[in-house]
Amino acid sequence: MNVARELSGRAKSMLRAVAAGRAELSGGREPDLYVDGLPCCDQMVTHDLVHAGLLRARRAVGLDERTDAELTEAGRAAIA
């Protein structure tokens, strides 16, 4: 399976925002993504990216907190 080929343009843009250091994730099992301080428009894609292991929080935080988002190696490969 080629993950990069299966990602939508929106998903790739979200990963690029994370790679650029512009994104944060909220705490919890189903985190929300914030880009430039604003909530991302497609939280289902955020959940899919996290569960696919492409995106993660830099550190563990509570439900009402945020932390920087970062790409995993697989996430970097998906947008390379």
Side-chain angles (χ1 to χ4, degrees):
M1 174 171 86
N2 184 339
V3 173
R5 191 178 347 206
E6 294 182 19
L7 291 175
S8 68
R10 178 178 292 166
K12 289 179 185 178
S13 292
M14 292 163 67
L15 292 175
R16 285 192 293 271
V18 172
R22 297 174 40 217
E24 297 175 302
L25 282 173
S26 65
R29 188 171 177 276
E30 298 290 346
D32 292 329
L33 183 70
Y34 294 81
V35 177
D36 297 331
L38 300 172
C40 182
C41 65
D42 196 336
Q43 294 304 334
M44 287 302 293
V45 171
T46 299
H47 301 162
D48 291 344
L49 293 172
V50 170
H51 292 296
L54 302 177
L55 171 62
R56 65 180 171 221
R58 220 174 267 270
R59 64 181 178 87
V61 294
L63 292 174
D64 59 343
E65 299 177 301
R66 294 186 210 169
T67 187
D68 291 337
E70 67 181 3
L71 297 180
T72 62
E73 286 185 38
R76 285 188 292 278
I79 59 171

